[in-house]
Amino acid sequence: MGWTNSHLHQFAIDGARYAEPDGFMDRIINHKNIKLAGVLGDQIRELMYEYDFGDGWSHRVVVEQMREGHPAWSGSLCTAGERACPPEDVGGPWGYVEFLSAMADPAHEGHLDVLTWIGGVFDPEGFDINAANDRIRRLKG
């Protein structure tokens, strides 16, 4: 996604919850060193990813296909994607809608503020597969 993992998050897969233990969330499985293929098995093809519980990001992920990796590549790899990740701390889905509205309309009262906050440019349709794979490689760091 491109988010910084600075907020609580979890994966819900087949009735189990996977997250980083924090002392507040009950009945979770530590997600560190868990491989998706091992959790999904042969039958499960859907999971939920929740991020920043205060902002309420919730993503339904459907696994369309699982393939053996190329022998020259030992890690995970993003092979396709669409649209840009919403900025961190934008205020959840509702804040993102307002952010996009302000970005697109120079007459919007918040236009200059969001332009400054985001650093001048944000393309909601943009997806950079190389940047996505760079982030995946750094996760293994």
Side-chain angles (χ1 to χ4, degrees):
M1 290 287 300
W3 286 327
T4 63
N5 287 331
S6 57
H7 297 281
L8 292 175
H9 55 279
Q10 72 175 1
F11 299 87
I13 306 171
D14 196 32
R17 296 180 332 160
Y18 299 82
E20 185 174 331
D22 69 348
F24 295 102
M25 295 173 18
D26 321 348
R27 298 182 308 274
I28 62 160
I29 300 166
N30 188 339
H31 66 14
K32 190 162 183 79
N33 299 321
I34 297 284
K35 300 232 184 255
L36 186 58
V39 175
L40 292 177
D42 293 329
Q43 302 299 315
I44 302 166
R45 289 292 178 254
E46 187 173 311
L47 61 108
M48 293 297 295
Y49 173 61
E50 297 173 75
Y51 182 77
D52 190 349
F53 301 153
D55 279 357
W57 290 106
S58 183
H59 307 272
R60 178 176 166 252
V61 179
V62 177
V63 177
E64 295 178 353
Q65 182 182 37
M66 292 178 71
R67 298 183 290 189
E68 288 295 320
H70 189 281
W73 186 256
S74 63
S76 298
L77 182 68
C78 177
T79 60
E82 295 178 17
R83 304 197 77 203
C85 174
E88 187 86 47
D89 294 324
V90 76
W94 304 273
Y96 186 49
V97 169
E98 181 61 25
F99 166 82
L100 291 176
S101 176
M103 283 292 294
D105 180 6
H108 189 286
E109 66 179 310
H111 179 74
L112 187 56
D113 290 336
V114 296
L115 202 61
T116 302
W117 177 69
I118 202 63
V121 176
F122 181 80
D123 176 10
E125 297 302 320
F127 177 75
D128 185 340
I129 196 164
N130 294 320
N133 280 312
D134 183 55
R135 285 191 301 271
I136 291 169
R137 281 190 294 276
R138 282 188 278 128
L139 283 173
K140 295 189 157 242

